[in-house]
Amino acid sequence: MNDTVPIVVTADPGIFGAPAEAPAHPRRRIASRTFACALILGVLGDALLRTNGLGINFPMWVLAAVAAILWLSTARPDTRRRAAPVLAVPVLFFASAFAWRDADGLLVLNMVAMLVAFGVLAFVLSGWPASLREGRLMEYFLGAASLGLSAAVGAPLLALSDGALAEQRDRPRRGVMMAVGRGLLIALPLVVIFGALLSAADARFEQLVNSLIAIDVAKVMQHVVFAAFVGWVTAGYLRTAVVADTPLGVEGPVRGMPRLKLGIVEIAVPLALVDALFLTFVVLQLPYLFGGAAHVQSAPGLTVAGYARRGFFELLTVAVLVLPLLLGGAALLREERPRDARTFRWLGGTMLALVAVMMLSALQRMRLYAASFGLTEDRIYATAIMGWLAIVFVLFAATVLRGRRSGFVLGAIVCGWVTVAVLDAINPQAIVVRTNVERAVNGAPLDDRYVASLDGDAAPALAEALVRLDGGARCSILRRFERTTKNRALGLPEDWRWWNASRSRAFRIAQAATANGALSDCPAAPPGS
């Protein structure tokens, strides 16, 4: 079904907020507003985001985008737009992390969480899935794919098929303004191209142009391209959220797609074999899981270092892959008899129980690793993901395994948002520093080069560590602070758009820590350090 068919006057008046008897074209009006918002956001994106770094500029642009979405959403039915302000909260929260936190890994997680929140906001406004709570994984997946497709090709559809640039005959003044705007859009590239060619052809004409318009054409084109890119992607997203009747490329394939179904034998055989494989692994892991480091050391050919370093991320990957395996099995199962569902529940429940033991084994390895070698950011993030998976598995067991798929996908998304928000609050880099410094105070070696390489989020914990450390570790931290003070852009950015609370605080801490000759007792840093 083509979602670009214009809506006639007899459409439901509540959808677009215009009386049905008015000789207006509601879809064109909302498309025109959407196109204008996309243009403004594109220009604003060039002004805020086209810089060498992200800081307060990113949440400022996102705030403008959210405001535009909420304003445009007034053209949607009350039942859809009612939840929009609520879903705007996680979007703005995760965007604000770019002005709050400085750890690269943490910002990646915030970016993913923010994009998911933007996607869910578009789902609510577009009405796909019809109910977020009742929506299935495939509907969410297709909706996300549709958003990506609309971001790529939605802008021209908004301008042409939806009538964003069409004449508004019911409003003559607006029609004239739109006509002038269309003329300028057509004329601009022509004037630039022909002007550049004529300037290259004659020196006197070039001097005249330069005297009238003292601009750097190459620089202007860079701004135009960047603003056009931001506006293009934004227009495609907004089209799905507030203009299109159905997500681009979704409804037709979904309704006409034959649903593949398999019998219990085809589902049970692979699940049973994987269960047997997992059971074998778990049986071998039980002595190490409950015996601790002493049992590991007593095992021939196995050391605590080898046991701790190996397996954590592999077991995490296993846990991640089990979820789509069970979801796929639940979606493909053809329940011909009541016992088919019971068989799947028993096999799936057994797999979840075995994976739970494997996750405990992974956490045991992480604990031994931290005790033997210290803590790293990657292991904190991986542990957080494992905690989120554990909650998702419980949710899966309570919903899908019991034949009640309602709420599973939305619950998993919300748990993911909460996990990232908790990471933002606890500051993983500070935990890494404090854990490793505590080990060093108790006599364990400290990887001072790694600790000193952390981002601005670690600065308060590093300052606390200075009074507890001495020798080379203390000097490594002081040299790190000295390097920070030389980068004045951290404390007072040359471009205000880069400003970040964590980086600014790190600069002030570094200035205080290196004042009064604090480095006088430290040897010179080795070359290339």
Side-chain angles (χ1 to χ4, degrees):
M1 177 178 177
N2 188 354
D3 64 340
T4 60
V5 178
I7 296 179
V8 297
V9 176
T10 56
D12 181 2
I15 295 181
F16 297 99
E21 63 274 7
H25 298 278
R27 187 188 183 98
R28 285 184 180 178
R29 285 206 298 274
I30 186 60
S32 299
R33 295 174 187 175
T34 303
F35 192 82
C37 285
L39 286 178
I40 294 171
L41 289 172
V43 174
L44 191 60
D46 176 71
L48 290 176
L49 304 180
R50 190 176 176 272
T51 180
N52 292 330
L54 291 180
I56 197 172
N57 54 345
F58 188 68
M60 288 178 65
W61 185 87
V62 171
L63 177 61
V66 169
I69 294 169
L70 294 181
W71 177 65
L72 292 171
S73 70
T74 58
R76 285 296 193 186
D78 292 340
T79 54
R80 296 185 189 177
R81 70 171 184 257
R82 200 171 297 153
V86 176
L87 289 170
V89 173
V91 173
L92 295 174
F93 175 83
F94 295 121
S96 70
F98 286 81
W100 174 28
R101 290 300 183 198
D102 189 36
D104 292 338
L106 190 57
L107 292 180
V108 169
L109 293 177
N110 277 277
M111 177 64 78
V112 172
M114 185 202 70
L115 292 177
V116 171
F118 260 127
V120 175
L121 178 58
F123 295 162
V124 167
L125 293 176
S126 66
W128 176 274
S131 169
L132 287 182
R133 190 171 182 274
E134 302 291 337
R136 298 192 177 187
L137 182 62
M138 181 57 69
E139 291 179 301
Y140 277 88
F141 177 78
L142 290 175
S146 173
L147 273 177
L149 180 62
S150 186
V153 301
L157 294 177
L158 178 66
L160 302 176
S161 299
D162 298 321
L165 299 181
E167 295 184 12
Q168 302 286 339
R169 298 185 182 278
D170 56 315
R171 297 190 180 185
R173 291 183 180 180
R174 179 174 294 181
V176 172
M177 292 177 61
M178 292 299 296
V180 172
R182 290 194 298 271
L184 290 175
L185 284 175
I186 296 172
L188 180 62
L190 297 175
V191 171
V192 171
I193 293 173
F194 288 126
L197 290 173
L198 294 175
S199 297
D202 185 79
R204 294 185 62 185
F205 184 80
E206 182 181 19
Q207 292 176 357
L208 175 63
V209 172
N210 290 338
S211 64
L212 294 176
I213 308 175
I215 60 174
D216 185 340
V217 176
K219 192 171 183 179
V220 170
M221 290 305 299
Q222 291 175 1
H223 283 282
V224 170
V225 169
F226 190 88
F229 172 76
V230 175
W232 181 287
V233 174
T234 304
Y237 171 86
L238 292 177
R239 180 181 185 273
T240 294
V242 296
V243 178
D245 300 319
T246 55
L248 185 62
V250 166
E251 185 172 347
V254 170
R255 291 189 174 181
M257 183 186 303
R259 294 188 177 183
L260 175 64
K261 289 291 184 179
L262 297 176
I264 186 59
V265 176
E266 293 91 335
I267 299 294
V269 169
L271 290 183
L273 290 176
V274 173
D275 281 348
L277 180 66
F278 286 1
L279 180 60
T280 304
F281 180 86
V282 166
V283 170
L284 293 176
Q285 292 300 304
L286 288 178
Y288 306 115
L289 182 61
F290 296 105
H295 187 85
V296 173
Q297 291 174 334
S298 65
L302 186 62
T303 63
V304 174
Y307 178 78
R309 288 182 182 273
R310 182 177 178 182
F312 178 81
F313 289 101
E314 290 80 358
L315 292 177
L316 174 61
T317 304
V318 169
V320 170
L321 294 177
V322 161
L323 186 59
L325 173 63
L326 291 176
L327 285 172
L332 295 175
L333 178 61
R334 182 175 60 246
E335 299 180 10
E336 298 173 335
R337 295 157 297 186
R339 68 181 184 183
D340 293 348
R342 290 196 299 269
T343 302
F344 177 79
R345 283 198 291 269
W346 276 104
L347 291 171
T350 301
M351 186 174 294
L352 291 178
L354 294 172
V355 169
V357 178
M358 294 163 68
M359 293 171 70
L360 289 175
S361 176
L363 293 175
Q364 168 81 343
R365 292 165 191 260
M366 197 280 289
R367 187 183 65 82
L368 290 176
Y369 180 92
S372 303
F373 307 105
L375 196 58
T376 64
E377 272 190 284
D378 291 343
R379 293 193 171 247
I380 289 184
Y381 298 141
T383 303
I385 293 174
M386 190 170 290
W388 170 72
L389 280 174
I391 298 174
V392 170
F393 285 148
V394 172
L395 186 62
F396 178 87
T399 56
V400 179
L401 271 188
R402 299 177 62 191
R404 304 172 182 175
R405 292 179 172 82
S406 174
F408 170 73
V409 180
L410 183 60
I413 290 174
V414 172
C415 289
W417 288 342
V418 172
T419 301
V420 177
V422 169
L423 286 173
D424 286 331
I426 66 175
N427 190 358
Q429 288 197 348
I431 294 177
V432 168
V433 172
R434 293 190 180 102
T435 301
N436 292 344
V437 168
E438 188 65 33
R439 292 180 63 256
V441 170
N442 294 328
L446 174 67
D447 188 351
D448 51 279
R449 296 186 65 180
Y450 169 72
V451 169
S453 70
L454 296 175
D455 301 307
D457 287 348
L462 288 174
E464 297 171 5
L466 286 176
V467 299
R468 307 185 67 190
L469 298 174
D470 53 19
R474 184 173 183 275
C475 289
S476 293
I477 296 174
L478 286 173
R479 291 194 196 98
R480 188 258 199 209
F481 282 150
E482 184 183 39
R483 292 193 298 272
T484 301
T485 59
K486 293 179 180 178
N487 188 359
R488 295 195 60 83
L490 296 177
L492 186 62
E494 302 170 6
D495 189 328
W496 65 268
R497 294 172 292 181
W498 304 349
W499 185 87
N500 173 280
S502 184
R503 290 195 294 266
S504 181
R505 180 179 56 183
F507 181 79
R508 295 193 300 270
I509 290 174
Q511 281 185 317
T514 55
N516 302 321
L519 275 163
S520 58
D521 296 333
C522 294
S529 63

